[in-house]
């Protein structure tokens, strides 16, 4: 009976190791949506690039049919950390079959204006808090941000 209790105690003590964030290392989950000219942007890549603190790490997600995305821990050692991020959005279409005429990379087109893909010029930013952060929709347009 004593051996059983000792093993049970050791098992319980070992459970927190490797699960979740290390103590004192907050992590976050970020949700939001992207629209292009007022319509949900499905199949777009949304990247969160740290602004001024590279230790925050890069995170990315793909939008669903409704333009919604969810960014969480990419890997056990890469949690989404609270901080300020530049948000990049891109959606590449076309050029999927290089064996067909006009089907190579030269036929690919990014449906999102280049400014939303440039970490130094994107007008999109996000302030991520510890825990759950629901961002307001990122409403982008083909004409780019208003000046």
């Amino acid at each position: 009976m004593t051996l059983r209790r000792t093993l049970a105690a050791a098992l319980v003590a070992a459970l927190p190791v490797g699960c979740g964030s290390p103590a004192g290392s907050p992590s976050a989950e970020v949700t939001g949506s992207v629209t292009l000219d007022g319509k949900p942007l499905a199949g777009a890549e949304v990247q969160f690039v740290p602004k001024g603190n590279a230790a925050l790490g890069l995170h990315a997600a793909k939008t669903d049919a409704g333009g919604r995305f969810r960014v969480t821990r990419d890997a056990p050692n890469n949690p989404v950390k609270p901080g300020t991020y530049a948000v990049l959005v891109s959606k590449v279409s076309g050029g999927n079959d290089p064996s067909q005429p006009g089907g190579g990379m030269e036929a690919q087109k990014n449906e999102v204006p280049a400014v939303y893909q440039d970490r130094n010029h994107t007008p999109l930013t996000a302030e991520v808090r510890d825990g759950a952060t629901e961002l307001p929709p990122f409403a982008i347009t083909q004409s780019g941000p208003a000046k």
Side-chain angles (χ1 to χ4, degrees), residues 42-136:
E45 182 174 351
V46 181
Q47 292 184 355
F48 285 72
V49 180
K51 288 187 82 153
N53 183 358
L56 293 176
L58 174 72
H59 302 280
K62 201 84 151 164
T63 59
D64 65 14
R68 296 205 43 84
F69 63 86
R70 182 173 166 242
V71 180
T72 59
R73 175 185 300 269
D74 296 318
N77 62 347
N78 192 22
V80 181
K81 297 176 185 165
T84 304
Y85 294 83
V87 179
L88 310 180
V89 179
S90 64
K91 181 179 179 184
V92 177
S93 62
N96 293 331
D97 188 355
S99 68
Q100 299 296 316
M105 289 182 67
E106 66 279 355
Q108 289 183 338
K109 173 187 172 218
N110 199 318
E111 297 179 24
V112 176
V115 68
Y116 298 110
Q117 300 153 47
D118 183 336
R119 71 185 316 160
N120 296 313
H121 296 99
T122 181
L124 308 176
T125 61
E127 189 64 40
V128 174
R129 298 180 308 274
D130 187 22
T133 301
E134 171 71 28
L135 298 172

Side-chain angles (χ1 to χ4, degrees), residues 6-32:
T6 304
L7 288 174
L11 179 62
V12 170
L15 283 176
V17 177
C19 297
S21 298
S25 175
S27 67
E29 176 179 290
V30 182
T31 56

Side-chain angles (χ1 to χ4, degrees), residues 35-46:
T35 61
L36 178 62
D37 294 328
K39 297 178 182 146
L41 184 60
E45 182 174 351
V46 181

